[in-house]
Amino acid sequence: MALKIFIIVVAIFLYSFNLHATQSFVGDSARDTVRMMEIWKNKEITLLGPPLSLGYGSAKELYFGSLSLYIGLLGIIVSGLDPVGAVIPNIILFTISIPFFYWWSKKYTGEK
């Protein structure tokens, strides 16, 4: 159990260490962060999320749901409207997934 907690603490540190210097805002991340800020500023409720990168600008454009934008917006709000805060929910969700994937891999590889 102590090893699992250690791994989670290390993961949180590695995900968030020097975040302002390492977070890049290009392409999809910049577009989505701007959209999150617009939703907050304009007090919008939308069901349409960001477009799928592969179909963006084509005749067959596909869109994600808006849940990813609202989850990222929670991080922006928690961080005091700092755009880097959009990755805070990702850090939390990725870190929470570590024990799940550990359990899943042990279950399906037959290790005890």
Side-chain angles (χ1 to χ4, degrees), residues 1 14 33 38 47 56 65 67 74 78 92 100 106:
M1 182 65 169
L14 292 175
T33 303
E38 288 172 348
L47 298 177
Y56 187 64
L67 184 61
L74 288 174
V78 166
I92 293 168
F100 169 75
K106 285 185 70 129

Side-chain angles (χ1 to χ4, degrees), residues 34-52:
V34 167
R35 185 69 185 113
M36 290 173 210
M37 298 297 276
E38 288 172 348
I39 287 172
W40 180 252
K41 179 183 172 191
N42 300 329
K43 306 290 188 248
E44 294 178 27
I45 296 177
T46 181
L47 298 177
L48 189 63
L52 181 67

